[in-house]
Amino acid sequence: METKAVNRPMRKKDAMALVTGQPVYTDDLAPKECLIVKLLRSPHPHALVEEIDISKALKVAGVEAVFTYKDVPDIRFTNAGQTYPEASPYDRLILDRRVRYVGDPVAIIAAETEEAAERAMRLIKVKYEVLEPVLDPRTAKDGPILVHPEDNWQSLCPVGADNKRNLCSSEASEGGDVEKAFAESDVVIERTYHTKANQQAMMETFRTYAYTDIYGRLTVVSATQITFHVRRIVATALGIPKSKVRVIKPRIGGGFGAKQTAVSEVYPAFVTYKTGKPSKIVFTREEAQTASSPRHEMYLDVKIGAMKNGKIKAIELHTLSNTGAYGEHGPTTVGLSGHKAIPIYSKAEAFRFTADVVYTNVMAAGAYRGYGATQGIFAIESAIDELSHILNIDPALLREMNITREGDFMPAYYGETANSCALDRCLARVKEMIGWESKYPRRIMENGNIRAVGLALALQGSCISGLDVASVAIKVNDDGFYSLMIGASDMGTGCDTILAQMAADCLLCEPENIVVYGVDTDVSPYDSGSYASSTTYITGNAVVKTCASLIEKIKEYGAKKMGCNPKEVDFDGKRVYKTATDESITLKDLANFAMNFSDTALYASEMHTSPVSPPPYMAGAVEIELDRETGKIEVINYKACVDCGTVINPNLARVQTEGGIAQGIGMALYEDISYNKAGVMRNNSFMQYKLPTRQDIGTVEVTFESSYEPTGPFGAKSIGEIVINTPSPAIANALDNAVGVRIRELPLSPEKVYMEMIKNED
Amino acid sequence: MLRFKNHIFPGSLEEAYELNQKRSNKIVGGNGWLRLGSKQCVSIIDLSNLGLDGIEEKDDEFIIGAMTTLRELELNKGFNEYTGGAAKEAVRHIVGVQFRNCVTLGGSIYGRFGFSDVLTLFLALDSYVEMYKGGVIPISEFAKMKYDNDILVNIRVKKADIKTVYTSFRNQSTDFPVLTCAISLGSNIKTAIGARPARADVVEGEIPKDMEKYAIETAKSFTYGSNIRGSAEYREQIAYVLIKRSLSKLI
Amino acid sequence: MEIKLWINGKLINDDVSPDTPLLEYLRSKGCYSVKRGCETSNCGLCTVWLEDKPTLSCTVPLMRANNKHITTLEGLKSDAEELGGFLADEGADQCGFCNPGFLMNVLAMAKELEDPTEDEINEYLTGNLCRCTGYTGQLRAVKKYLEHKRKGG
């Protein structure tokens, strides 16, 4: 198919509104009379509320209501934005007597002003029975302290969960004869890696407002990636019919997975439900840092067996994942640590993947770009380099020998076949871009610093296969412009635009002729949501299908108007014409006829789902400069090459990649959620949790090596998540190449590097 | 967040001083740090209308008003010429231009924050703090004093035939420093080390012959503590490295 | 307390509570481009001009703006469209939440620095955090905008 819009750089449809600062975000739109909702949070990592006295708080002028655990329904639910029945356990109440981390809400305060709400908060007296917390995930499973001892805890899916063992889930899978493959290997290495929780730190924190509409229904407007799931979550939490809830997503100031959990929604929803008044909550940055949905901390035990010639025989991974106080995305993220890392090397004869996900008394984890794959890939891609040094084989060469290539069967990737795969070309390209042959492994600079290179590979998925769905609707309006209605949430990534680009090529028109409407559960067709890298692939396919059936309808209507058989006509985007005589009727006329004494709706809607999740692939190569006296790593150059299938919008794909790499650099070098001994998180602000600035990322260069995915729209696969996966292992590998120091725990802070260097010298 | 009822702009230092004798009142500099606490006060006292901004260069000294912003310090030609660019180097890593347009030198110095870049710099220079009641005090002495209710009016830097180098070490480019180091070299050598993470301190001595030895011994002569940015042990290593590197630029 | 100030050239006399940060006051006056991203002066999202100097409006107590001129992106419509167009052309607007503060600082830089190098650009703008773009696309846009201005655009 010839493309005019697809594979072209095009401004995002909302770009000019965004760059000129128009009021398009949740808090810009909230009614001024909203009650301000604030949460009193637990100062203890584990405690029971013995007494709570709100009488003084209620007397503060302007305070509308204060709610405690006594006021909320005793219905457990999950905040995870996942398709029902959710894999994440139903382990939450809106407010619970048992508080499970420092920051767990104890009371909801609603007041006319922020000041009144804050004053009321200070006047609530809580007496806690302080309990011993479990803070180390390595001691959680079958330990003496239970995070969720309650009897109405519930796991809806067979994910190996058991609250009486602190287990949020556990799993095991393998392929081939693992023991035999290890026994036959010349070399077997076993290493343990540790990745920390990271905050998505999108610039717009969690925020939601709620009001009652003219039909008496609860309307929730929220910065969310999961508009439809929020409807279910809010209805479940409040114990009201889903028909009573409407959810609207305006523009969102970034998500990266954070907003795939309903972190803020239930609080104003509950307040408005109880008071009948509009209310809003805007999380402070401190709340967004300490009581939200960060990446799961993981311990990863890797075992790799290989022959002396570099042939990898077997890969085994055991992951211990820390889901914290609640299980959002716990059972699902962990799977990706194995199933999206091991298949980079599908030529191995055998694999085994086992995992436990445990509860602890720290902030609950959630979904963060990469969703477990990031952690698994750090471990596997670090171990591959460690293996290459033992085998004395160039790590790039070792990868070339073992990577998955187009047509390969991938046993660890749910038994799928790599029908589109340019990983080999991506690897070759980044080697060339970074100058691997001349720069590997290191060179010493005049000032004594060392420049070294390192690389890493990655894959991800393009949806949750056999689960994710997207429906799309398109209608023809006056004069023939189209409305494209989607249920996927554009979170700044540009899906509204790239879906319009696809529709434009299908409908043979300009993208400007298509208007896109943001998500509203009352209006938009159902979509499971913007996560799991599924929008381009799943919603994109739904667009293609919908366009095809709309064109049939346009042709039928055109034929009817011209008094002929639909088989005799075709559509060229502007008109329906008889193929034999070229007699035609314009789309404009058809569209207007359809609104006047017509029995035909020029409207189509189709749904898509996929039994497969074709992986995008990526290679990243970094050049670092290491200060040997301080241990400080500076990123000089980062080169990346991505195979996301057909690139729908090169500008947006490039910026996605550059942004993912910068986040990955932050994760690799300094982003480090940590707790003191009392279970208090130490990184509660941007002062104590440093994101990379524009001075910290070096020169990033991105290219694409496209394969063509036969099941993708226009041959496309995903891009959104894979891009964060390579920096951590690439930088750790570069460090090893620089000074022979291997650090297996992120981040690679200067002190950690320096202390390891000293240890090596001893 | 800092809550207060009145924002007062006194017309004289005496008036400001009187107001500042009440515990419920606070002097606000650039408001970069004060507001981060959950303090409640009745009034904030603002010195903006007292002409305390700006850098005055005289034959023998610089007089830098308490309300001079860090950005002004960064861009001031005369002072940067005198310090060989150390003034700019001491502030350019602090958050960003917009922040440095807000926060004041007086606030930074009066606060005597452990993480302070500028306190480290001024300790290496022949600097004095002029207090409204307390008079002119050498900054090294001021750095050790307890907080009181006096008002910092300006900072005076006596000109001398010295060369100055400022360096800092940060885990991330605009983070608080892991360690700061300012050295000035004239007839003798002054080395100030800050972000230890305690308040900066300074040692003065004869110009050493063996630079390596000086770096090791001087780094050892300070005490260090640990926080999330680095351990005491690591800080001492960084102090050694920064001293050594500064010396190589100076000599 | 009584305040008099100019927001985007428009004189306002008002009675205000002095512990309101300038940021919240500006939003209450309809300047929704001014965003809050943190409470610790670290993100740059709330950047406005206070008498032409880029300033963090979260850090400025309201009475400091008394008798002063404040400029927000609402007051720089044509500049915003011109510079913003370069961002849009790179796809570097992304979620857009940091854009207004970023634009305010780029426009201030364009007035203050003559022909800045890439390092000078990055240093001037480093107080503007962005989590979407990784900054690289923003840098491309800024360089193209400055080049366009140099050529008299």
Side-chain angles (χ1 to χ4, degrees):
Chain A
M1 186 185 216
E2 191 202 345
T3 62
K4 282 189 172 157
V6 163
N7 201 226
R8 300 280 190 280
M10 182 188 151
R11 279 187 184 182
K12 274 167 59 210
K13 279 182 165 286
D14 52 0
M16 292 317 286
L18 300 187
V19 296
T20 57
Q22 301 305 307
V24 294
Y25 302 92
T26 303
D27 190 37
D28 304 339
L29 302 171
K32 288 207 165 169
E33 67 273 19
C34 272
L35 293 170
I36 304 298
V37 179
K38 290 271 169 194
L39 303 174
L40 174 68
R41 296 174 179 280
S42 166
H44 306 292
H46 195 190
L48 290 173
V49 175
E50 271 189 353
E51 285 167 34
I52 181 160
D53 178 1
I54 59 170
S55 55
K56 280 191 183 146
L58 284 170
K59 285 183 190 141
V60 173
V63 168
E64 174 77 19
V66 177
F67 300 109
T68 71
Y69 74 91
K70 297 167 192 162
D71 304 305
V72 304
D74 188 25
I75 306 168
R76 295 209 177 259
F77 64 99
T78 177
N79 273 334
Q82 300 182 308
T83 296
Y84 178 84
E86 300 96 318
S88 303
Y90 279 21
D91 56 8
R92 274 184 191 272
L93 300 175
I94 298 174
L95 297 169
D96 206 337
R97 242 198 101 198
R98 180 181 295 269
V99 287
R100 299 178 175 82
Y101 71 98
V102 175
D104 214 355
V106 175
I108 303 171
I109 301 116
E112 281 164 17
T113 63
E114 191 167 337
E115 217 181 334
E118 282 171 1
R119 190 172 308 142
M121 194 191 298
R122 285 194 294 271
L123 293 172
I124 297 174
K125 287 252 175 324
V126 191
K127 195 174 161 202
Y128 294 97
E129 179 190 344
V130 177
L131 304 172
E132 197 183 332
V134 48
L135 296 173
D136 186 341
R138 290 168 297 184
T139 63
K141 183 176 154 184
D142 296 327
I145 303 154
L146 286 183
V147 179
H148 284 278
E150 62 274 8
D151 289 329
N152 61 352
W153 177 97
Q154 199 190 353
S155 170
L156 277 58
C157 296
V159 293
D162 185 350
N163 59 322
K164 300 291 159 79
R165 302 180 64 200
N166 278 334
L167 266 183
C168 176
S169 74
S170 58
E171 69 171 287
S173 62
E174 62 179 79
D177 190 335
V178 181
E179 301 312 330
K180 180 164 168 274
F182 277 123
E184 288 172 2
S185 298
D186 293 332
V187 175
V188 176
I189 66 159
E190 292 183 72
R191 300 284 188 275
T192 298
Y193 302 88
H194 182 199
T195 61
K196 301 285 192 70
N198 299 131
Q199 280 295 3
Q200 298 86 349
M202 61 282 156
M203 288 297 123
E204 181 199 38
T205 60
F206 305 92
R207 51 199 61 197
T208 303
Y209 69 90
Y211 61 91
T212 313
D213 74 3
I214 47 166
Y215 307 106
R217 296 164 73 229
L218 181 63
T219 303
V220 177
V221 181
S222 192
T224 180
Q225 297 171 228
I226 43 157
T227 320
F228 282 93
H229 293 328
V230 167
R231 180 172 66 186
R232 184 192 63 245
I233 291 166
V234 165
T236 305
L238 268 51
I240 59 176
K242 294 172 182 86
S243 62
K244 292 287 182 197
V245 181
R246 173 187 186 181
V247 184
I248 299 169
K249 175 217 75 107
R251 292 292 104 184
I252 321 178
F256 316 114
K259 294 168 182 172
Q260 196 195 335
T261 299
V263 172
S264 59
E265 283 83 352
V266 296
Y267 307 108
F270 184 70
V271 167
T272 296
Y273 173 67
K274 295 290 268 191
T275 64
K277 295 184 176 178
S279 70
K280 81 168 172 185
I281 193 166
V282 175
F283 270 40
T284 61
R285 181 57 63 185
E286 182 176 356
E287 291 179 295
Q289 282 294 119
T290 57
S292 48
S293 56
R295 188 183 294 290
H296 288 77
E297 175 192 24
M298 291 186 187
Y299 287 90
L300 307 112
D301 302 319
V302 180
K303 186 174 172 185
I304 303 181
M307 305 307 289
K308 277 183 188 147
N309 65 8
K311 185 182 167 17
I312 294 172
K313 298 271 288 179
I315 302 178
E316 181 173 354
L317 174 66
H318 173 75
T319 304
L320 170 67
S321 172
N322 182 3
T323 196
Y326 299 96
E328 275 88 14
H329 302 283
T332 38
T333 43
V334 78
L336 276 67
S337 72
H339 296 300
K340 301 218 162 136
I342 298 170
I344 298 171
Y345 303 100
S346 290
K347 295 196 189 314
E349 291 163 20
F351 85 93
R352 179 183 290 143
F353 171 58
T354 55
D356 286 326
V357 182
V358 295
Y359 282 118
T360 60
N361 291 111
V362 299
M363 161 176 49
Y368 183 0
R369 195 181 211 171
Y371 204 81
T374 313
Q375 296 94 311
I377 286 168
F378 171 66
I380 295 289
E381 282 300 273
S382 294
I384 291 288
D385 257 50
E386 294 204 54
L387 176 68
S388 79
H389 295 320
I390 291 167
L391 296 174
N392 208 15
I393 297 174
D394 179 329
L397 183 63
L398 184 68
R399 287 183 169 84
E400 280 162 18
M401 291 167 65
N402 290 288
I403 51 169
T404 298
R405 286 165 194 264
E406 196 156 276
D408 282 353
F409 178 65
M410 301 182 286
Y413 194 84
Y414 322 105
E416 288 184 25
T417 298
N419 286 324
S420 59
C421 175
L423 182 57
D424 50 348
R425 283 189 276 142
C426 290
L427 175 56
R429 187 77 176 273
V430 294
K431 278 179 68 180
E432 196 183 299
M433 288 163 76
I434 201 80
W436 186 263
E437 298 302 340
S438 65
K439 287 181 179 168
Y440 175 78
R442 82 187 72 83
R443 65 204 155 102
I444 295 172
M445 313 294 288
E446 253 176 52
N447 61 3
N449 287 354
I450 299 180
R451 289 240 176 151
V453 290
L455 59 78
L457 306 178
L459 59 72
Q460 195 80 36
S462 290
C463 66
I464 308 173
S465 53
L467 189 83
D468 284 345
V469 297
S471 48
V472 159
I474 305 178
K475 60 179 177 179
V476 182
N477 304 288
D478 313 39
D479 291 356
F481 78 94
Y482 301 100
S483 298
L484 169 62
M485 287 164 287
I486 59 170
S489 300
D490 192 330
M491 51 188 136
T493 47
C495 77
D496 289 0
T497 306
I498 63 136
L499 294 171
Q501 285 178 271
M502 290 188 206
D505 273 355
C506 293
L507 296 167
L508 304 163
C509 68
E510 300 297 324
E512 290 72 27
N513 204 37
I514 298 169
V515 298
V516 189
Y517 186 71
V519 193
D520 177 338
T521 55
D522 273 9
V523 180
S524 308
Y526 184 78
D527 193 297
S528 38
S530 290
Y531 57 85
S533 290
S534 63
T535 306
T536 301
Y537 182 71
I538 296 287
T539 315
N541 265 323
V543 166
V544 172
K545 276 186 181 173
T546 306
C547 290
S549 53
L550 184 63
I551 287 173
E552 285 312 307
K553 290 196 176 165
I554 293 169
K555 280 160 68 176
E556 271 172 36
Y557 191 52
K560 187 175 163 188
K561 283 286 171 192
M562 288 190 286
C564 65
N565 189 307
K567 283 182 185 148
E568 294 169 46
V569 303
D570 210 343
F571 176 61
D572 69 3
K574 291 206 165 58
R575 56 189 193 127
V576 174
Y577 62 98
K578 289 188 186 171
T579 44
T581 64
D582 206 38
E583 184 195 335
S584 70
I585 181 164
T586 63
L587 176 66
K588 179 181 173 180
D589 285 344
L590 281 175
N592 293 332
F593 284 142
M595 293 177 175
N596 186 351
F597 196 52
S598 163
D599 60 0
T600 303
L602 291 180
Y603 175 93
S605 180
E606 298 291 341
M607 187 170 241
H608 187 75
T609 190
S610 174
V612 295
S613 173
Y617 301 89
M618 178 170 177
V622 69
E623 181 174 19
I624 62 161
E625 185 163 321
L626 174 73
D627 182 336
R628 276 192 288 187
E629 290 183 307
T630 63
K632 184 160 180 169
I633 294 169
E634 190 187 346
V635 174
I636 305 295
N637 284 300
Y638 205 99
K639 309 286 186 185
C641 183
V642 188
D643 165 21
C644 57
T646 300
V647 182
I648 303 293
N649 184 322
N651 277 2
L652 298 182
R654 183 184 306 119
V655 172
Q656 280 291 303
T657 311
E658 291 163 350
I661 288 168
Q663 284 183 4
I665 289 172
M667 176 185 181
L669 295 182
Y670 23 75
E671 293 184 36
D672 184 7
I673 295 293
S674 62
Y675 292 84
N676 69 14
K677 279 180 189 154
V680 180
M681 209 254 264
R682 304 195 291 181
N683 319 92
N684 62 357
S685 67
F686 281 168
M687 218 154 67
Q688 309 297 11
Y689 186 83
K690 300 314 286 185
L691 310 182
T693 71
R694 63 194 75 236
Q695 296 184 90
D696 296 300
I697 49 159
T699 304
V700 178
E701 190 191 352
V702 172
T703 55
F704 295 92
E705 279 288 341
S706 294
S707 59
Y708 188 90
E709 171 50 42
T711 65
F714 297 88
K717 299 185 284 189
S718 83
I719 181 103
E721 293 188 86
I722 187 171
V723 292
I724 199 171
N725 292 342
T726 61
S728 291
I731 293 170
N733 291 340
L735 174 66
D736 195 349
N737 292 336
V739 280
V741 161
R742 172 57 58 175
I743 292 183
R744 302 188 183 89
E745 179 190 78
L746 294 177
L748 310 174
S749 64
E751 175 163 2
K752 218 184 274 177
V753 172
Y754 177 75
M755 292 302 176
E756 280 300 313
M757 280 165 39
I758 296 293
K759 225 189 277 173
N760 265 24
E761 279 169 20
D762 290 347
Chain B
M1 184 177 142
L2 180 73
R3 293 276 180 198
F4 52 90
K5 293 210 162 53
N6 307 302
H7 187 148
I8 305 173
F9 295 84
S12 69
L13 276 166
E14 180 58 31
E15 191 190 335
Y17 181 82
E18 288 302 321
L19 286 164
N20 199 36
Q21 298 317 298
K22 268 200 178 164
R23 284 190 68 176
S24 55
N25 296 348
K26 285 265 178 277
I27 293 185
V28 60
N31 202 32
W33 308 125
L34 182 64
R35 71 197 171 82
L36 299 185
S38 53
K39 287 196 190 73
Q40 311 251 350
C41 51
V42 174
S43 300
I44 58 169
I45 308 160
D46 196 319
L47 311 180
S48 293
N49 294 350
L50 300 178
L52 298 181
D53 53 332
I55 301 173
E56 189 187 347
E57 180 171 1
K58 294 188 163 174
D59 286 347
D60 57 343
E61 66 176 349
F62 289 91
I63 303 175
I64 308 171
M67 294 303 284
T68 305
T69 66
L70 295 191
R71 182 69 176 159
E72 287 167 315
L73 196 69
E74 176 182 0
L75 298 177
N76 187 274
K77 276 215 175 85
F79 193 59
N80 273 290
E81 232 160 67
Y82 174 69
T83 58
K88 179 181 167 127
E89 183 57 31
V91 299
R92 72 183 184 97
H93 303 283
I94 301 172
V95 187
V97 166
Q98 307 100 304
F99 184 74
R100 301 197 294 277
N101 271 334
C102 293
V103 295
T104 61
L105 181 64
S108 287
I109 296 290
Y110 182 83
R112 285 158 277 189
F113 304 111
F115 52 76
S116 179
D117 286 275
V118 286
L119 181 61
T120 312
L121 171 72
F122 283 91
L123 278 169
L125 303 171
D126 190 10
S127 326
Y128 303 82
V129 172
E130 185 185 338
M131 303 303 289
Y132 177 61
K133 290 284 175 188
V136 176
I137 305 167
I139 198 162
S140 55
E141 204 176 296
F142 180 74
K144 291 191 171 73
M145 281 163 58
K146 287 193 176 142
Y147 297 111
D148 57 22
N149 292 343
D150 207 348
I151 295 177
L152 194 158
V153 180
N154 57 45
I155 314 284
R156 290 156 185 267
V157 178
K158 298 263 181 251
K159 287 185 183 174
D161 188 15
I162 55 167
K163 285 199 289 181
T164 311
V165 166
Y166 183 87
T167 51
S168 66
F169 184 82
R170 291 168 143 84
N171 290 329
Q172 178 261 21
S173 61
T174 58
D175 192 8
F176 287 126
V178 174
L179 202 89
T180 57
C181 170
I183 301 185
S184 69
L185 196 69
S187 53
N188 56 9
I189 184 168
K190 261 186 176 177
T191 298
I193 298 289
R196 302 178 290 120
R199 282 183 189 177
D201 204 351
V202 64
V203 293
E204 196 168 355
E206 282 177 23
I207 296 172
K209 294 203 175 65
D210 185 338
M211 298 300 155
E212 178 74 13
K213 190 165 161 246
Y214 178 82
I216 293 171
E217 285 175 359
T218 309
K220 262 202 172 45
S221 70
F222 290 91
T223 56
Y224 304 90
S226 300
N227 64 5
I228 65 172
R229 287 174 173 76
S231 68
E233 184 189 1
Y234 181 63
R235 283 194 156 94
E236 187 179 324
Q237 163 67 12
I238 299 300
Y240 155 73
V241 172
L242 295 188
I243 294 168
K244 188 179 73 169
R245 288 179 185 175
S246 300
L247 288 174
S248 74
K249 283 181 198 160
L250 284 167
I251 297 167
Chain C
M1 293 178 78
E2 305 246 311
I3 191 170
K4 178 177 102 178
L5 77 171
W6 289 262
I7 299 177
N8 296 320
K10 193 179 148 201
L11 175 65
I12 294 178
N13 286 292
D14 209 349
D15 188 16
V16 300
S17 129
D19 60 356
T20 310
L22 179 59
L23 190 170
E24 316 300 346
Y25 183 73
L26 289 169
R27 283 184 66 84
S28 78
K29 294 289 155 193
C31 298
Y32 289 109
S33 75
V34 188
K35 297 287 192 272
R36 178 180 281 283
C38 71
E39 298 98 43
T40 51
S41 311
N42 285 100
C43 72
L45 265 65
C46 64
T47 302
V48 301
W49 295 351
L50 179 64
E51 297 285 312
D52 291 337
K53 280 205 176 100
T55 306
L56 297 173
S57 62
C58 70
T59 306
V60 177
L62 187 48
M63 291 310 291
R64 280 250 167 105
N66 194 23
N67 288 313
K68 299 250 165 64
H69 288 80
I70 312 294
T71 309
T72 72
L73 204 60
E74 281 84 358
L76 297 170
K77 193 163 178 286
S78 63
D79 287 333
E81 281 170 3
E82 187 180 24
L83 167 56
F86 285 92
L87 271 177
D89 284 339
E90 294 295 333
D93 44 325
Q94 287 288 299
C95 87
F97 206 70
C98 74
N99 289 354
F102 176 69
L103 264 70
M104 291 306 294
N105 210 25
V106 173
L107 293 170
M109 178 185 75
K111 289 196 297 179
E112 193 173 327
L113 304 185
E114 201 176 319
D115 206 7
T117 64
E118 209 169 284
D119 282 348
E120 285 166 345
I121 293 171
N122 282 335
E123 184 167 324
Y124 197 99
L125 301 176
T126 200
N128 293 90
L129 296 180
C130 167
R131 194 60 159 169
C132 292
T133 65
Y135 308 111
T136 306
Q138 289 186 340
L139 180 62
R140 282 194 294 274
V142 168
K143 283 163 74 177
K144 284 177 188 172
Y145 168 75
L146 293 175
E147 180 63 26
H148 165 76
K149 293 309 266 185
R150 258 195 300 277
K151 288 180 178 158

